[in-house]
Amino acid sequence: MSMSGNVGVIPRERQSAFAGLNDFRQMDVGRVRTFWRTVERIPAGANIAAEPDSRKRQIVVVSGWISETRILPDGRRQIFAFLLPGDVASINASSHVGSRGLVALTNVEVADASALTVGEQGERISASLTDAIRQREERLFDQIVRIGRLTAKERVLNLLLELYDRLDAIGLVKENTFRIPLTQEVFADALGLSVVHINRTLQQLRREGMLTVGRGTVTLHQRHKLASFACYQSETQQAEGDRQPRRIGALSRD
Amino acid sequence: MSMSGNVGVIPRERQSAFAGLNDFRQMDVGRVRTFWRTVERIPAGANIAAEPDSRKRQIVVVSGWISETRILPDGRRQIFAFLLPGDVASINASSHVGSRGLVALTNVEVADASALTVGEQGERISASLTDAIRQREERLFDQIVRIGRLTAKERVLNLLLELYDRLDAIGLVKENTFRIPLTQEVFADALGLSVVHINRTLQQLRREGMLTVGRGTVTLHQRHKLASFACYQSETQQAEGDRQPRRIGALSRD
DNA sequence: CGAGACTTTGACCGTAGTCAATTTATGTGG
DNA sequence: CCACATAAATTGACTACGGTCAAAGTCTCG
């Protein structure tokens, strides 16, 4: 299964729409031009797979949303992360049965990361990619905490707060509002909840005036309060508190 | 906060106990000798923090169990992963409030990864470290699926199966049995469940003859059946099954 | 206008959490 | 080697968060 979509040059006009990307990774305009030339376009809903030849592959998202997903044999689905412009991901050549897969949630443009790390500015970009990878891992931890220890309300808020910050960083937030091309089902699969419960949770959050949702758009009110309520900490901290060391014992009786 | 424990040379005699480590990362004996010299010993229950000076740091576990943990401001705790001999982890200099922390679950010996990647064999070891890092990420995904989409019984089995495979790979499994220095509370924090429920789940699994637990030891019966029951796949596959593309819609009404 | 995808609602269920008490290790000092 | 202290494992009673099922309502788009 090879990558869906076609390769093409993105018209210059559109560049303005992604202006934020420049700031995000400190890539200079010249570099971004090169960027455009190696961009691949992928239609919404398509799978992003590695070329049959290349074993491994790293991509950078230029525009659009991607989800990293795994589907269990019985149909249950889990979304690990959402990839936004500027994010990096590796594709395992093996996109076969059950692996982690990348799915375009919108029309997407991706660039080959390896193609960006060569040349004069390569090192600089390489560094920002390294940083992107680090952030990516950090987000996986956040995701684990969300589904492992937070309640439904907290999960929803926590994820929305993360998306807010990430989108804000690339200039896609205006007046506490951002576009979010996610289905409630997708949201549910990311947060380990059922669609029905996501729906009810969103309603509750709306009723409580914590957020406004509508037409693919989300507005967060009083982000500070929300953050502390949902145990959210914008890309750095977290609260430690070493619990007193316990005896390291056996799992059980017998 | 600097790394707890003291640095010392590990007596040669003990090396035999970790024979499996050689096979695991294909490190030749000579290299392992160097290994020992840079080993740091950490007592059970202690925190493993970066030296105040070194910004980032990568370590390799030589012996013992470590947990990667985060504690939320309200005390809830989530364990991201368990580190076993041969595993790699990076320590953020900032071991302050709320970050991800490494906690020794047993007496532990760790080596500095960077110290291992220099010299003649450095490249070879470096490669195996890279591989270890890849596996590590893969396991984070497994962890997300576990707590996001599996039931309590499945979670417990799935994790035990993973530990089985990892311990087996380093020669620490005998007759389907392995030692597991985990408290039910630790187990609970890793699987996003309550201690009480972990306890009851273990009992149920015992009653159903799927496993035997006792005195810090676990025996898995009919691993194959357990694996399919718990959606476990030993470090490779997974079942894909692209759900039909849905319309990418808005999150809601209004 | 219809079809299909998505959202919403209601009724009901069940897995897992909470609280609190009890029992069972495990260890330590005398 | 025993008594006591403490961590860990267990149990029971009760709760509640979130899941399931099924039907209806909305929105989009061809």
Side-chain angles (χ1 to χ4, degrees), chain A residues 9-18 29 32-33 36-37:
Chain A
V9 178
I10 298 177
R12 185 83 66 74
E13 313 81 87
R14 300 196 52 193
Q15 196 171 321
S16 61
F18 309 100
V29 181
V32 174
R33 291 272 165 62
W36 296 141
R37 291 203 199 87

Side-chain angles (χ1 to χ4, degrees), chain A residues 113-128:
Chain A
S114 58
L116 296 174
T117 57
V118 295
E120 347 83 39
Q121 310 271 336
E123 196 174 315
R124 190 156 133 213
I125 293 185
S126 181
S128 55

Side-chain angles (χ1 to χ4, degrees), chain A residues 70-71 76-77 95 97-98 105 142 149 154 181 184-185 189 216 238-240 242-243 246 248 250-251, chain B residues 70-71 75-77 95 97-98 105 142 149 154 181 184-185 189 216 238-240 243 246 248 250-251:
Chain A
R70 185 186 294 174
I71 297 180
R76 279 177 287 186
R77 175 162 56 177
S95 138
V97 193
L105 296 174
D142 293 340
R149 285 308 185 200
E154 292 170 331
Q184 289 188 2
E185 186 185 7
D189 286 335
Q238 259 88 253
E240 178 174 311
D242 220 30
R243 227 131 121 184
R246 305 300 184 71
I248 306 301
L251 251 196
Chain B
R70 184 185 294 173
I71 296 179
R76 280 177 286 186
R77 175 162 57 175
S95 139
V97 193
L105 296 175
D142 292 341
R149 284 308 186 200
E154 292 170 331
Q184 290 187 2
E185 186 185 6
D189 286 335
Q238 259 86 253
E240 179 174 309
R243 226 131 122 186
R246 304 299 183 71
I248 307 301
L251 252 196

Side-chain angles (χ1 to χ4, degrees), chain B residues 8-22:
Chain B
V9 177
I10 296 176
R12 183 82 66 72
E13 314 78 88
R14 297 199 51 195
Q15 195 171 321
S16 60
F18 309 100
L21 192 56
N22 292 332

Side-chain angles (χ1 to χ4, degrees), chain A residues 157 161 210 220-231:
Chain A
L157 283 177
L161 285 164
M210 307 184 104
L220 300 180
H221 308 304
Q222 318 167 83
R223 297 221 327 289
H224 243 56
K225 266 186 206 159
L226 300 190
S228 89
F229 171 76
C231 297

